[in-house]
């Protein structure tokens, strides 16, 4: 998760999102980063923000002389990408084969089984 704040007094939090939620910056399998939370409450510019070690709370300090603690919901982790297929794809074993040939009036038949 990542947060940004500025002169408008609003804190914006970005985190991993799926394609249905509006992917920003590409991603793998439709998974990327997007806006997950907007925090409003300061009456002026926000001067600093900091995450607590669990990453579920954000501390902010503003020019309005207040410090706020925000509970930021963490989105669920995105699903894992689909498994990669081996390349080249494994081939099934070949069935037994018969071969035949003729030379000087005689036939010879062999089997690979």
């Amino acid at each position: 998760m990542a947060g940004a704040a500025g002169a408008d007094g609003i804190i914006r939090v970005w985190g991993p999102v799926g394609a249905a939620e509006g992917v920003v910056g590409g991603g793998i399998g439709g998974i990327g980063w997007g806006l997950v939370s907007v925090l409003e409450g300061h009456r002026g510019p926000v001067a600093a923000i900091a995450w607590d070690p669990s990453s579920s709370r954000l501390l902010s300090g503003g020019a309005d002389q207040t410090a706020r603690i925000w509970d930021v919901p963490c989105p669920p982790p995105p699903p894992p990408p689909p498994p990669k297929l081996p390349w080249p794809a494994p081939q099934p074993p070949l069935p037994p084969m018969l071969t035949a040939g003729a030379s000087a009036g005689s036939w010879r038949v062999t089997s690979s089984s």
Side-chain angles (χ1 to χ4, degrees):
M1 303 259 288
D8 61 0
I10 298 173
I11 301 165
R12 291 167 181 84
V13 179
W14 285 269
V17 296
E21 300 164 271
V23 173
V24 175
I28 298 171
I31 300 167
W33 282 78
L35 188 63
V36 295
S37 191
V38 176
L39 309 173
E40 299 181 64
H42 284 284
R43 294 187 207 108
V46 177
I49 59 173
W51 290 101
D52 80 352
S54 72
S55 294
S56 64
R57 289 189 179 174
L58 184 74
L59 172 67
S60 63
D64 60 357
Q65 306 279 318
T66 63
R68 294 182 178 263
I69 298 174
W70 308 87
D71 285 316
V72 180
C74 294
K84 293 183 179 182
L85 297 176
W87 189 258
Q91 299 295 318
L94 295 173
M97 299 177 64
L98 290 175
T99 57
S103 174
S106 65
W107 281 86
R108 182 178 176 126
V109 179
T110 59
S111 171
S112 65
S113 59

